[in-house]
Amino acid sequence: MESAEGQRGRDGGSLRRSPLDLIMNQIRRKRTASDRKPLGRFLSRDRTGIPENREERGHGSGVVEAAEGERDAGWGRVCVFLQKLGKKGDSSSLSLSHCDLTATDLLELATLLQFLPQLEEVDVSWNELIGGCLTALTSHLQHVGGIRALRLCSCRLNADDVAALGDALGCVPLLEILDLSWNGGVGGGALQGLLGKLHPPLRELHLVACQLTAADATVLGGIVSAVCRLCVLDVSCNPQLTQEVDAGGFVALASSLSHAAGLATLRLQACGLTPDSLEALGGSLRCLPSVRELDLSCNKSLAGGLDRLTLHLAHLTHLESLDLHLCRLTRSDLEALIQVLPSLAALTQLDVSSNKEAGGVAHQLVAALPLTQMRRLPLNSCSLNQDSFTALALAVPYLHSVDVSWCKVVGGRLALLLDALQSSVVLELNLSSCELTTDDLLHLAAVCRRGGLSSLRTLDVSYNGSVGDDGWSALFSAGGPASLRDLDLSLRPLASASCSAWLPALLGALPRLPALTRLAAQRWTVGSRDRQRLNCCLRKRSVLLEWDAAASSSSSFEATNQESPEESRPEE
C-alpha cells in the first residue's frame, strides 16, 4: 500500500513537473550530443568521488535549459517581428525609423522588450501613426533599463505621450540621448511633462521643430539646469521660442546654460533671434568655455545687432564652428565679427554664406582667420567681387570644402581658384550657377588629368548652361577623380539641352569612377537608346540617376540653353 502511495506521490510529482519536463525533452531532442557534453561535464560529480544526486541534477539542469529555451524563443519572436518590417535583429540596437509602424505594431514591440535586456539604442522615428499611444511602449521600458539613446522624431507625439514618457524616464537612468524633434505636440506646454524627470547622465537633447513657445523656453531652462552634463542642445526651427523676451522666456533659457558648463554644441537655427535675445545669450557665454559648435543661422531678425554677441564670443576659446548663414548680416555686423575672429584661435569652420554684404568684406574675413586650420568657409550667394574672389584663393589651399555657388564673378576666373587647390585636401567643390565658360571646364579637366583633385568626393557644376559641348566632353574624357561620389551637372529650370555630343565621354568615364553613388543630369535631353545604355551602366553599380522623366522619352535635339529670366536660387 505504501509503495502504491509512494508510486502515486512520484507520479504526482512527475505530473507537476511535466510542463518543464516537456520543454526539457524538446530542447534535448534539438540539441546534438556534442551540445550536451559541456553541460554534462559541468554537472557531473563523478570525477570528484562525490555521489551524484540525480533528482537535484535533473531539476537544476532543467531550469537552466528551460531558461535558455525561453530566451531563444523570445529572441525568435523578436527576429520574426523585425523581419516583417524588413529589418535584421540586433540585441543592442533597435532601428525602426520609417517603418510605418501602427499602434498595434508598437504594442507588439513593447511586449518583446523583455527579450532584449542588452538593448542600448531605440529609434522609432518617422512613424506618425504611433502618435497618441506611446504609453504602450513606455509602460514596458523597465525591461530595458540600459537604454542610452531614445529617438522619437516625427511621431506626432501629443501632451499625453510626453507625460507618459516623462513618467517612464525613471526606468532608464542611463539615458544619454533623447530626440523628440519634429513633434509639434511637444510645444505648447507639453514639455512640462519632462521637467524634473531627466537625469544628469543625459548628454544630448534634441527638440528641433517642436513648436516651442516662450513659456516652453522657461521650462526648458529648468530642464537644462538639472542636467549638468549636457553636451548637445538643439532647439532649432522653433521661431516662437524667443517671443516675449521681456517676459523672461528665452532669458531664463539663456541663463540656465551657465549650469551646463560642459555644453559643446548649441544650435539655435531659425529661432527668431533678435538683438535682445543675442544679448541675453551673450551673458552666458563666459560660463561656456567648452562650446565647440554654435549655430545661429537663419535668424534674419538679428540683423544689425550682432555686436551684442560678438563682445562675448572671445570667451569661447574652444569654438571650432560658427554658423551665421542667411542672417541678413549688415556691414556693421560683419565688421564686428571680423574684430573678434583673431580671438577664436580654434576656429575651423565659419559660414557667412547667403549674406550679400559678406562679399564686400571677404578679403577682411580671410585676413582675420587662422587660415592654416580652416576647413570650411562657404561664400555662396555672397555677391563676391573680383577682389574678394582673389582673396579667397589665399584660403583655398587649406579648405576641405569650397563653395562659391551663385557667385557670377567665378565665370572666366575659375583657374585662379583651381590652381590654389591642394589635391589631398579638397573634398567638395561647389560651382553651381557661376556662369562658367567652356574654358573654365577645360581648365577643370586639365586639373583632373594631372591629379589635382584626387581626393574630391563631391562636384557640383549645375546651372552652368553656357558651357559648350567641348567643355563637358573634356571634363569626362579626363576621367575625373576615382574618389568622386556625387556629380551634379543639371541645367536650371526652364532650360534644356542635348547631351548626345558628350554622353559617350561620360559613358567612357564611368568605369573610372568606381565610388560614384549619385549622378544628377536634370533637363538634359537624350535619345531613348542612349538613355537605355546609361541606365544599364548605372543600374549594375546601384548609382542613383536623377534625370527628368520627360528627358527619358524625348529624342535628342539641339541645345536651347536659354536661361530663365527668374533664376531659381537660394533665398538671401
Side-chain angles (χ1 to χ4, degrees):
M1 187 68 163
E2 292 178 357
S3 63
E5 289 177 355
Q7 181 66 36
R8 282 198 300 271
R10 285 192 296 273
D11 291 343
S14 175
L15 288 173
R16 284 193 298 271
R17 292 194 302 268
S18 60
L20 184 59
D21 291 338
L22 179 59
I23 295 174
M24 290 166 50
N25 291 335
Q26 290 175 342
I27 295 173
R28 288 192 182 103
R29 282 197 296 269
K30 292 179 181 178
R31 290 184 174 218
T32 63
S34 61
D35 288 334
R36 294 197 297 269
K37 273 184 179 179
L39 184 60
R41 288 197 299 271
F42 177 77
L43 295 174
S44 176
R45 302 182 183 181
D46 291 345
R47 290 176 294 174
T48 64
I50 302 175
E52 185 178 18
N53 186 327
R54 295 185 179 182
E55 182 177 355
E56 182 180 356
R57 181 195 66 179
H59 179 70
S61 173
V63 170
V64 172
E65 293 185 355
E68 290 179 353
E70 185 177 357
R71 284 196 298 269
D72 290 344
W75 176 245
R77 288 175 55 192
V78 172
C79 291
V80 170
F81 176 76
L82 294 176
Q83 186 177 12
K84 193 169 58 173
L85 299 172
K87 301 288 184 177
K88 293 183 179 179
D90 186 336
S91 60
S92 64
S93 178
L94 197 60
S95 180
L96 298 176
S97 61
H98 299 280
C99 284
D100 293 327
L101 295 180
T102 64
T104 303
D105 294 326
L106 192 66
L107 182 59
E108 183 178 356
L109 171 62
T111 61
L112 296 175
L113 291 182
Q114 59 183 310
F115 305 117
L116 295 167
Q118 298 177 342
L119 196 62
E120 295 186 356
E121 298 184 14
V122 177
D123 186 354
V124 290
S125 301
W126 306 99
N127 289 289
E128 297 186 346
L129 297 179
I130 66 175
C133 55
L134 190 64
T135 184
L137 180 67
T138 57
S139 60
H140 290 76
L141 287 183
Q142 69 272 15
H143 298 297
V144 285
I147 287 182
R148 298 181 182 275
L150 179 59
R151 296 181 173 87
L152 296 162
C153 305
S154 190
C155 291
R156 289 193 178 179
L157 302 184
N158 57 29
D160 292 337
D161 293 325
V162 177
L165 175 61
D167 292 338
L169 286 176
C171 299
V172 285
L174 302 180
L175 190 67
E176 296 180 358
I177 301 174
L178 178 61
D179 194 343
L180 303 178
S181 299
W182 305 100
N183 286 291
V186 173
L191 196 62
Q192 185 77 32
L194 300 182
L195 186 61
K197 307 294 179 64
L198 292 167
H199 306 288
L202 190 73
R203 297 173 60 83
E204 296 187 20
L205 181 58
H206 301 266
L207 297 170
V208 178
C210 286
Q211 296 184 17
L212 301 181
T213 63
D216 293 320
T218 303
V219 175
L220 182 57
I223 294 175
V224 171
S225 298
V227 285
C228 55
R229 299 181 189 175
L230 194 67
C231 294
V232 177
L233 177 62
D234 190 350
V235 290
S236 299
C237 303
N238 286 290
Q240 307 300 317
L241 193 66
T242 55
Q243 285 193 355
E244 304 174 14
V245 174
D246 294 336
F250 186 77
V251 173
L253 173 58
S255 299
S256 71
L257 295 177
S258 61
H259 297 282
L263 193 68
T265 299
L266 178 59
R267 301 187 184 119
L268 295 167
Q269 182 188 69
C271 284
L273 298 181
T274 64
D276 288 337
S277 52
L278 285 184
E279 187 169 3
L281 178 62
S284 296
L285 293 186
R286 65 177 66 250
C287 303
L288 301 173
S290 299
V291 170
R292 285 174 165 76
E293 178 186 344
L294 180 59
D295 186 352
L296 306 176
S297 61
C298 304
N299 285 288
K300 299 178 181 180
S301 298
L302 63 76
L306 190 62
D307 58 334
R308 299 198 193 184
L309 180 71
T310 54
L311 293 173
H312 307 280
L313 279 181
H315 297 292
L316 304 183
T317 55
H318 294 92
L319 187 65
E320 298 174 359
S321 175
L322 177 59
D323 194 343
L324 292 165
H325 83 266
L326 200 59
C327 286
R328 289 182 179 168
L329 298 181
T330 64
R331 181 88 177 205
S332 61
D333 289 328
L334 290 162
E335 290 174 349
L337 176 62
I338 291 169
Q339 290 296 319
V340 76
L341 286 180
S343 302
L344 305 179
L347 199 66
T348 61
Q349 302 183 49
L350 174 63
D351 191 346
V352 290
S353 62
S354 297
N355 288 290
K356 289 184 178 181
E357 294 293 333
V361 297
H363 56 293
Q364 299 174 40
L365 279 171
V366 170
L369 288 169
L371 290 183
T372 57
Q373 64 190 42
M374 291 301 294
R375 298 297 176 260
R376 290 190 69 250
L377 183 61
L379 291 172
N380 50 293
S381 299
C382 282
S383 300
L384 293 178
N385 55 39
Q386 187 170 348
D387 291 338
S388 55
F389 181 64
T390 302
L392 176 61
L394 299 176
V396 162
Y398 310 102
L399 301 180
H400 288 174
S401 175
V402 177
D403 191 347
V404 289
S405 297
W406 301 94
C407 294
K408 308 306 182 185
V409 70
V410 180
R413 299 181 179 86
L414 185 60
L416 179 64
L417 204 65
L418 295 177
D419 291 342
L421 293 174
Q422 293 292 323
S423 60
S424 60
V425 175
V426 65
L427 304 177
E428 299 179 7
L429 183 56
N430 296 292
L431 303 167
S432 178
S433 192
C434 286
E435 293 189 354
L436 298 182
T437 65
T438 300
D439 287 341
D440 287 328
L441 254 65
L442 290 174
H443 197 89
L444 179 59
V447 173
C448 289
R449 195 175 296 109
R450 65 171 181 259
L453 299 172
S454 58
S455 299
L456 197 66
R457 298 176 184 174
T458 299
L459 176 60
D460 185 355
V461 286
S462 61
Y463 293 13
N464 286 289
S466 55
V467 175
D469 291 338
D470 291 344
W472 298 114
S473 296
L475 177 63
F476 300 127
S477 297
S483 57
L484 192 64
R485 300 175 184 175
D486 192 306
L487 175 60
D488 193 342
L489 35 115
S490 302
L491 296 175
R492 59 174 43 88
L494 303 183
S496 62
S498 169
C499 64
S500 58
W502 51 261
L503 186 61
L506 173 61
L507 292 172
L510 289 176
R512 291 172 286 174
L513 300 174
L516 191 67
T517 58
R518 173 180 175 266
L519 172 62
Q522 301 282 23
R523 290 167 290 281
W524 287 101
T525 58
V526 63
S528 58
R529 181 175 298 180
D530 288 336
R531 176 61 184 265
Q532 289 175 1
R533 290 175 58 200
L534 181 59
N535 280 339
C536 181
C537 181
L538 296 180
R539 191 180 301 117
K540 292 178 181 178
R541 297 171 41 189
S542 300
V543 177
L544 174 63
L545 176 63
E546 295 181 6
W547 206 315
D548 292 312
S552 63
S553 59
S554 64
S555 57
S556 298
F557 55 90
E558 294 299 320
T560 60
N561 275 339
Q562 293 178 356
E563 308 215 350
S564 171
E566 296 183 2
E567 296 182 0
S568 174
R569 60 176 300 162
E571 182 185 0
E572 295 185 358

